[in-house]
Amino acid sequence: MSVHEAVPEPADYPDPATASHVTYNPTFAELRELAADDEVTTEHGSPSYVSEYRSRSADATANAVDDDFGDDDYDVFARGVEWVNDPDNDVVCVDRVVGRHAEASYVCRLFLPAEYGRIALSWAKLLEPAPDRTPEFVTVQLPDATDDPRIRVHPERGVTTVLGSDYTGEAKKSFLRLFMHRTKRQGGLGLHAGSKRVTLADGDDTREVGQVFLGLSGTGKSTLTSHGLWLDDPEGVEMIQDDVCGLLPSGTVAGSEGGGLYVKTSGLEAEEQPELHSAATDESAVLENVAVDDDGTVHFGEPRYGRNARATIRRDRLESSADGIDLDRVDQVFFITRNPLMPPIAHLDHEQAAVAFMLGESVETSAGDPSRVGEPIRVVGTNPFIVGSEGEEGNRFRDLIADLDVESYVINTGAVGTDDPLDVGVEETVAVLEGAARNRIEWERDDDLGLTVPSEVPGIDIDRFAVADRVDDFEAARDALREDRREYLDRFDDLDDEIREAMY
């Protein structure tokens, strides 16, 4: 048998509807019962679990497009198929659908041991029940298969096998990674991004602004996507998606998860994030690696099990959540950074936006590499799940937003400056987002930064955030950053020269 033939297709796995050793599409209550021995019930009546692995095993993940697979890699798939087909194993299988849009909707099938029903419970609440058809994507997750995690992905076949990790995020991202890859194959682009619709009063009429936020996990993407900007009726905000979307050539931003959100709970407080806090303390939530006492008391602010504590929350528990998961039209794209040499907001032309996309500047969070939390990091598209050429992704992004005439911005949700740094708080972030949506920011060219920056933002004193005033020996720091950026962009052979030359 050739190596290619050794890779299973979704149809090669057993039919869960007829296999006697497979429990197929159990209810939420049944999945919770399977995981009863691992549950601590919270004061809110929701289940809470602690996993051995508390973040994605990125270094142990490889895909057949970007990595040279050998026999050991293909053996990972074989082990998954063998386990699922073994009638002596107690298997749970759950089908869900990722995406609703006619051009971006796929049936997903997850196989895993019944004793890890908690993984299926969290994952199943993120997506919606699937139509009765052969799945396009299949994941087998076997937490006890090895002491050293090994995750292998075959994008063309639509299959993923996860060995050795019991982290729910591995199941979640296994399907979203393929969703994004298929979107790119259709001429669009998968985005690790949240989306929202802002409705604003315009005289007696209203107008809608579609916004998309690109950011690494843990940098405020979910918070900004769900924030209501303190608008009052008839104005308001609807959260569309908080994690992964597909930008289609038509300008539609297709959503992926129609059931719920997988949010970080570190520092989650009712005063600052009332909607997310309310949903996370609802009986329908599923908590993972959150500090919960034996009596059920929940401590979101305590990193008892690390700083990547999570909650699966239901969309229908969020007042700001829209009924649909697709954004009809994108008008504005925001790149979330925490680079102290960046202002609270800057306006980008299309080439500069592609530069921001390629740089993907932020800081490492506990969702990525917990050992490097707080360190500067660059991830193309703020998307660690890209399959294929990253340079081509940058070109595609530039082409799409240029064709659609999308406005692009970079926003700093951290602090401005390295000497006497000034935090960009919620008030400032809301002001720049609302100002951009209303088109009420006054702009000017900052030759020192090479960017278009605000000279006036309604509601805040933007002059306090002048970068050069808060960095000792600013020119040296700026030049060093530019040189570092230039060297970084030179890594991508497929990236267009026009984008490199727009580097700021």
Side-chain angles (χ1 to χ4, degrees), residues 230 268-274 277:
W230 300 318
L268 183 62
E269 297 181 1
E271 294 77 13
E272 292 191 4
Q273 301 178 68
H277 186 274

Side-chain angles (χ1 to χ4, degrees), residues 396-424:
R396 176 74 61 82
F397 178 79
R398 185 270 318 277
D399 294 343
L400 285 168
I401 64 170
D403 289 344
L404 299 168
D405 197 23
V406 175
E407 297 287 329
S408 299
Y409 308 86
V410 58
I411 55 174
N412 182 358
T413 60
V416 173
T418 55
D419 302 278
D420 189 25
L422 183 60
D423 286 339
V424 183

Side-chain angles (χ1 to χ4, degrees), residues 97-106 126-129 133 179 240-241 248 252-260 315-316 321-326:
V97 63
V98 58
R100 293 181 188 169
H101 195 278
E103 298 175 22
S105 179
Y106 309 95
L126 295 172
L127 302 175
E128 297 171 293
R133 71 172 191 249
F179 171 86
I240 310 295
Q241 285 284 275
L248 305 182
T252 294
V253 182
S256 58
E257 296 174 302
R315 284 178 62 91
D316 57 12
S321 176
D323 292 335
I325 65 172
D326 301 328

Side-chain angles (χ1 to χ4, degrees), residues 453-475:
V453 302
S455 59
E456 184 176 342
V457 178
I460 62 172
D461 181 4
I462 197 64
D463 291 338
R464 297 173 60 230
F465 294 90
V467 177
D469 294 345
R470 295 188 174 275
V471 178
D472 187 31
D473 199 354
F474 166 74
E475 290 186 2

